[in-house]
Amino acid sequence: MWQLLGESLNSRLFLGTAQYPSPQVLSDAVTASGTDVITVSLRRQMQSSTGNGFWQQLKTLNKKILPNTAGCTSAKEAITTAQMARELFGTHWIKLEVIGDQHTLQPDPFELLTACRELIQQGFEVFPYCNDDLILCQRLVDAGCKVIMPWGAPIGSGRGLVNERALTLIRQRLPDINLVVDAGIGAPSHAARALELGYDAVLLNTAVANAGDPVAMAQAFKLATQAGRLAFMAGQMAQREMAVASTPVIGQPFWHQATVAAK
């Protein structure tokens, strides 16, 4: 169990709720993942035809809901969407997305920081989705963010952690901030690696929702995040440039020594 903004969580996996083959598969995948936190895009769900049935389903899952501002391209849009989400879900948590480029879905750092400052003043706990730029992450922390969510790769790409050095540097320079890798994770091994680097959690959607068997994949990610965190806490061996034998090479084999003694 770990603490995040006053909430006690068992899982280090945050799971999105979009693109699943059916409502039942969504429910089963959420259960199999063991997640405590699910995300939902308010703008996109309001534009879809799912209606109130989707909101009712989310309530039955009995999970902490992290609304997000996906689809917003300006600070003004994101702030309005966050305010609506707080009214609808009764939570001051918000995943802040402000997209600057529609081809890569890369966040706009300037609009993101502007929205972040305003929302924090309004009492929100902001989970900003950003790229792996250390300076931006530091500015977001200076603005009052207690959680930072740098991407592993572009949203939905499934490419994993394309810049481990940048992610490692962020972890080293922001040791007291909750860090969540958000976006780009495509395989359980990617999630395990993020946790091995010392990140507190991962957030993903497409890797589970678009899997051949979303329920089985959700369980795989559950186990991967557990393994990654355990590996980080255990302390991994140092990497070496040259080979080092794992068995003794000094002296004689024990069976040869036993033969000599018998004579």
Side-chain angles (χ1 to χ4, degrees):
M1 184 169 289
W2 63 295
Q3 297 292 317
L4 179 66
L5 305 180
E7 295 282 341
S8 296
L9 305 177
N10 290 297
S11 173
R12 294 178 181 270
L13 171 63
F14 299 171
L15 192 62
T17 55
Q19 304 182 47
Y20 288 84
S22 71
Q24 187 60 55
V25 171
L26 166 60
S27 295
D28 292 344
V30 168
T31 300
S33 73
T35 185
D36 298 305
V37 179
I38 57 176
T39 67
V40 59
S41 170
L42 181 60
R43 281 174 59 93
R44 290 175 178 164
Q45 288 300 331
M46 289 181 67
Q47 292 168 0
S48 72
S49 59
T50 53
N52 291 332
F54 181 76
W55 310 126
Q56 294 302 318
Q57 182 185 10
L58 293 184
K59 292 180 181 179
T60 65
L61 295 175
N62 196 29
K63 304 295 182 181
K64 177 74 175 180
I65 293 179
L66 175 61
N68 71 54
T69 63
C72 294
T73 58
S74 69
K76 182 178 180 180
E77 277 186 304
I79 291 168
T80 300
T81 302
Q83 293 167 338
M84 294 172 61
R86 180 161 61 180
E87 292 297 320
L88 181 60
F89 295 109
T91 178
H92 61 291
W93 284 18
I94 190 73
K95 176 188 171 183
L96 181 60
E97 292 186 31
V98 187
I99 300 302
D101 181 76
Q102 293 302 318
H103 294 285
T104 63
L105 299 182
Q106 184 168 338
D108 183 325
F110 307 103
E111 293 293 303
L112 180 71
L113 190 55
T114 297
C116 181
R117 288 169 172 158
E118 176 61 28
L119 289 172
I120 287 175
Q121 288 184 354
Q122 294 184 18
F124 284 89
E125 290 287 3
V126 179
F127 293 60
Y129 159 66
C130 59
N131 55 22
D132 52 14
D133 181 270
L134 173 62
I135 304 305
L136 174 59
C137 291
Q138 290 175 322
R139 295 293 180 269
L140 291 167
V141 171
D142 293 342
C145 290
K146 301 170 186 174
V147 181
I148 303 294
M149 302 203 301
W151 70 358
I155 293 174
S157 67
R159 296 174 60 193
L161 311 185
V162 297
N163 194 344
E164 283 195 13
R165 294 184 64 183
L167 292 173
T168 299
L169 180 61
I170 293 170
R171 177 71 286 176
Q172 291 172 344
R173 297 291 298 276
L174 301 175
D176 300 322
I177 298 299
N178 290 298
L179 296 179
V180 180
V181 171
D182 177 16
I185 290 177
S189 57
H190 301 158
R193 184 59 182 152
L195 272 292
E196 288 171 359
L197 294 178
Y199 276 69
D200 297 287
V202 294
L203 192 158
L204 55 98
N205 187 162
T206 310
V208 170
N210 290 176
D213 184 340
V215 178
M217 188 61 75
Q219 185 177 17
F221 272 103
K222 172 184 177 180
L223 298 174
T225 53
Q226 292 173 349
R229 180 62 181 180
L230 184 59
F232 173 72
M233 296 301 294
Q236 301 169 67
M237 65 169 285
Q239 294 184 4
R240 304 183 178 106
E241 293 296 327
M242 301 296 290
V244 178
S246 58
T247 54
V249 294
I250 300 176
Q252 297 175 325
F254 68 89
W255 62 83
H256 182 71
Q257 294 174 349
T259 300
V260 173
K263 293 180 179 179

